[in-house]
Amino acid sequence: MIRLPDPTVRSAAPTRPAGLSGLADQFGRVARDLRVSVTDRCNLRCTYCMPAEGLPWLPKPDMLTDEELVRVVGLFVRDGITQVRLTGGEPLLRRSLVDVVDAIAALDPRPRIAMTTNGVGLDRLARPLADAGLDRVNVSLDTIDSETFTHLTRRDRLSDVEAGLKAAADAGLTPVKVNAVAMRGINDTDVADVLAWCLDRGYELRFIEQMPLDAQHAWDRDDMVSADEIRDRLSERFTLTPLPAADRGSAPAERFLVDGGPATVGIIASVTQPFCAACDRTRLTADGQVRNCLFSTTETDLRGPMREGATDDELLGLIRGEMWRKRRGHGIDDPDFVQPDRPMSAIGG
Ligand code: SAM
């Protein structure tokens, strides 16, 4: 049974100085990118993410309603968020997703709206989502081998993902990005095949190092496929030319031109070369908790205060306080590192 953190627990940290504006933290970073988990449910069961039987999903009354969710996103936008990324769980499983996108697109100033999805069902929803205001998608796809896909996700849905990707491109949700996690003994030897497949179709591929965020707490650093290893494997088939680091900004991926370009591939070394110093992200869970980091072991509850009648300014005070407490780094390498109780699927990846 997964235990979610007690939302009343706050980390001890200096209080935010009066007069500061925006979503700043103690280390000079300012959040601009909000990840919103719209549901913790998923229709795949990726072995590195959750057990075959799924997880104890959030009861509906614990989840933010559309109105609550859009109200909170509006507060973040008022305080400087310029990009909202919808995720989950699987965001396409939220029935009202098109309405949510429509309402976020109506905020002033209008944030850019992106979504991270496994792509199942996107063939139907790409067009309505684009019409409602969705700007871009990242589709998670770790392998293009149908047997490996079925083994890895415990579902035979590769053709649905392919159809979803194509529909996203047809609907103009471009550049269509593909996110892949390389895992030893599962798909680590196939990374160049995935890149060739994406290049053929005009999708921009990014590999992400596997992080200790699995519900089973089975992550093992020694077994992790590192960014260097992924680069070496890709280099066996392609010539990779690093793009200048200055072009990277707060983007987590180190990008390479493939065979002289213009196509690129990205590698996100979240574990071996953390980019916390440039992090401009913050997160809202489907049950209304603000998390200042993927690896945070504390969070700030907005749902309770909101349902008890908190004003916008009071909620903004809670959001700012949570951001101010953001730690310098994710601490995966610290001897006292503790994996968060919430798995990736309940945080919003
Ligand atoms: N269901 C959506 C999807 O598949 O894109 C959104 C949620 S999913 C948790 C978001 C991303 O997190 C996926 O690309 C998935 O591969 C990635 N992910 C899940 N567990 C991970 C882990 N332990 N380390 C790195 N990435 C992980």
Side-chain angles (χ1 to χ4, degrees):
M1 174 83 176
I2 304 296
R3 270 187 316 107
L4 295 182
D6 176 350
T8 60
V9 174
R10 310 270 194 278
S11 60
T15 25
R16 178 185 150 109
L20 203 65
S21 66
L23 300 171
D25 68 38
Q26 301 166 67
F27 302 101
R29 297 165 298 192
V30 178
R32 303 262 177 230
D33 180 343
L34 172 67
R35 314 255 145 159
V36 181
S37 173
V38 296
T39 177
D40 60 331
R41 287 160 200 259
C42 195
N43 41 9
L44 300 184
R45 293 287 180 274
C46 299
T47 49
Y48 61 97
C49 194
M50 61 171 76
E53 66 278 14
L55 292 167
W57 312 125
L58 285 170
K60 184 119 197 275
D62 287 1
M63 291 179 53
L64 296 188
T65 63
D66 291 354
E67 292 71 24
E68 290 170 337
L69 190 148
V70 174
R71 177 180 174 200
V72 173
V73 172
L75 293 175
F76 274 100
V77 168
R78 189 177 123 189
D79 229 16
I81 288 295
T82 54
Q83 165 154 299
V84 175
R85 175 172 294 278
L86 304 173
T87 179
E90 174 43 49
L92 297 177
L93 293 184
R94 184 157 178 143
R95 288 212 184 97
S96 55
L97 187 68
V98 173
D99 296 335
V100 168
V101 170
D102 192 55
I104 295 174
L107 292 171
D108 184 17
R110 180 206 193 280
R112 291 188 304 279
I113 310 173
M115 178 175 67
T116 301
T117 170
N118 62 31
V120 176
L122 191 57
D123 57 339
R124 254 182 330 101
L125 281 165
R127 175 64 62 188
L129 285 167
D131 290 347
L134 185 69
D135 297 304
R136 303 194 285 111
V137 284
N138 289 45
V139 175
S140 304
L141 179 62
D142 302 319
T143 176
I144 41 112
D145 178 86
S146 123
E147 221 171 279
T148 309
F149 182 96
T150 305
H151 170 71
L152 189 57
T153 65
R154 302 188 179 103
R155 300 286 187 273
D156 181 9
R157 306 299 292 268
L158 178 60
S159 56
D160 296 289
V161 181
E162 289 186 54
L165 277 161
K166 184 168 181 317
D170 291 347
L173 297 171
T174 49
V176 173
K177 294 191 181 176
V178 170
N179 292 352
V181 178
M183 282 152 288
R184 194 164 311 285
I186 299 173
N187 62 345
D188 55 332
T189 54
D190 304 341
V191 291
D193 293 339
V194 181
L195 177 54
W197 190 90
C198 287
L199 292 173
D200 278 352
R201 290 158 181 78
Y203 307 145
E204 207 177 303
L205 176 64
R206 297 155 7 127
F207 287 97
I208 306 173
E209 280 178 346
Q210 192 179 2
M211 297 176 278
L213 287 169
D214 53 316
Q216 302 92 318
H217 290 228
W219 181 84
D220 176 0
R221 181 168 187 147
D222 294 336
D223 209 32
M224 187 194 76
V225 181
S226 70
D228 285 348
E229 200 175 328
I230 294 167
R231 183 179 170 172
D232 288 347
R233 285 209 185 267
L234 295 176
S235 298
E236 288 167 10
R237 195 167 338 155
F238 301 97
T239 303
L240 302 188
T241 314
L243 285 168
D247 294 356
R248 190 166 163 184
S250 60
E254 183 178 8
R255 289 171 68 225
F256 302 86
L257 286 180
V258 182
D259 291 341
T264 60
V265 64
I267 305 181
I268 304 181
S270 337
V271 178
T272 57
Q273 295 159 53
F275 38 87
C276 304
C279 177
D280 67 349
R281 296 179 181 180
T282 182
R283 292 166 196 276
L284 176 68
T285 66
D287 55 341
Q289 313 299 309
V290 185
R291 297 177 62 87
N292 59 32
C293 172
L294 258 182
F295 293 94
S296 185
T297 50
T298 60
E299 43 192 41
T300 292
D301 179 37
L302 298 183
R303 187 193 65 213
M306 189 159 40
R307 291 184 182 172
E308 282 156 21
T311 63
D312 283 357
D313 284 344
E314 285 164 344
L315 293 174
L316 212 44
L318 292 171
I319 294 170
R320 289 176 171 181
E322 175 66 20
M323 290 318 298
W324 184 251
R325 287 187 287 271
K326 182 164 170 159
R327 289 181 304 170
R328 186 190 289 276
H330 60 38
I332 293 177
D333 281 327
D334 296 351
D336 56 352
F337 173 73
V338 179
Q339 179 172 338
D341 286 333
R342 265 188 205 265
M344 181 76 124
S345 61
I347 298 172

